[in-house]
Amino acid sequence: MRLRNVKGASNIIESSSYIIKNYKDYKSNYKKLFCNSNPIHIEIGMGKGDFIIAMAKKYPNINFIGIEKFDSVIVRAIEKIDEEIPNLKLIRMDAVEIEDVFYKEIDTLYLNFSDPWPKNRHEDRRLTSLKFLKRYDNIFKGSKNIIMKTDNRKLFEFSIISFNNYNYKIEEISLDLYKDNVDDNVKTEYEKKFVSKGFTIYKIKVSK
């Protein structure tokens, strides 16, 4: 996902009103940042922003925060924002920091086309591993809601087992999203590419 040497990326990020620079200062009080008490949804690994930007436009009464690790990727999201979107913010950070950034204020977490980390020794790096599910525990305001999409069947199977072992309940599941009802589906940039190539897209929504 990482892009190479995007000229001026740091300056673009620094000057963007959508970037939360001192994000840890808002822990447990992100409603102050948005100046309302609307639900907050976050996407970890937002990539170039297609999904989070479209969701913020589609659902103006929900606050959206996109999280991405690399300057060279998040800058592409900033460049795509072509109108004012007051319910959208972006954070450049590593997902391992998540417990230090949010506390009992998130309603829904999106994990879209996350890195599958296919080698067994890297299992703990997967965003649906037991290690990460534990990290998410205290970020949720009430019920814990996670929505995941992927083209990687092995990651999907791993995630189902991981969710089940951590007592999440499956609310919705699709083994081939584009053969099911996708009326409300918002695509990511990777999803658009994968669908055009005929890849199967898997989706699951869990809660506890």
Side-chain angles (χ1 to χ4, degrees), residues 30-47:
Y30 271 83
K31 63 182 181 181
K32 180 179 180 181
L33 177 69
F34 287 102
C35 300
N36 62 55
S37 297
N38 292 340
I40 300 175
H41 292 194
I42 64 174
E43 181 187 14
I44 295 179
M46 56 166 251

Side-chain angles (χ1 to χ4, degrees), residues 120-162:
N120 290 336
R121 69 175 183 270
H122 293 152
E123 178 178 312
D124 285 346
R125 299 185 186 184
R126 298 170 192 161
L127 294 181
T128 53
S129 67
L130 179 62
K131 196 166 187 176
F132 269 98
L133 293 181
K134 287 181 177 179
R135 285 187 174 119
Y136 304 146
D137 272 347
N138 287 327
I139 74 170
F140 288 106
K141 183 178 181 180
S143 62
K144 301 171 176 64
N145 302 294
I146 300 176
I147 301 175
M148 172 191 178
K149 287 192 288 186
T150 183
D151 66 305
N152 189 294
R153 186 176 180 88
K154 288 185 178 180
L155 176 62
F156 192 65
E157 292 170 349
F158 168 87
S159 300
I160 292 173
I161 294 170
S162 187

Side-chain angles (χ1 to χ4, degrees), residues 108-120:
T108 298
L109 165 63
Y110 300 98
L111 302 174
N112 293 318
F113 302 90
S114 307
D115 192 330
W117 292 104
K119 295 181 180 179
N120 290 336

Side-chain angles (χ1 to χ4, degrees), residues 3 5 31 46 52 56 58 60 74 80 85 88 93 96 114 125 130-131 133 137 152 185 199 206:
L3 302 179
N5 300 323
K31 63 182 181 181
M46 56 166 251
I52 202 75
K58 187 173 183 178
I74 201 169
K80 289 179 181 179
I85 312 176
L88 174 66
M93 58 171 269
V96 298
S114 307
R125 299 185 186 184
L130 179 62
K131 196 166 187 176
L133 293 181
D137 272 347
N152 189 294
N185 184 56
F199 290 10
V206 297

Side-chain angles (χ1 to χ4, degrees), residues 133 161-170 206-208:
L133 293 181
I161 294 170
S162 187
F163 289 139
N164 181 69
N165 288 343
Y166 206 57
N167 298 317
Y168 273 90
K169 176 185 176 182
I170 296 176
V206 297
S207 66
K208 74 170 184 175

Side-chain angles (χ1 to χ4, degrees), residues 12 25 40 44 53 63 65 69 73 80-81 99 108 117 131 142 144 166 179 181 186 194 198 200-201 203:
I12 294 171
D25 292 348
I40 300 175
I44 295 179
I53 293 170
N63 297 319
I65 300 176
K69 184 177 180 179
V73 179
K80 289 179 181 179
I81 301 173
E99 294 173 287
T108 298
W117 292 104
K131 196 166 187 176
K144 301 171 176 64
Y166 206 57
K179 286 186 178 178
N181 186 352
V186 174
F194 294 152
T200 299
I201 305 300
K203 181 179 180 180

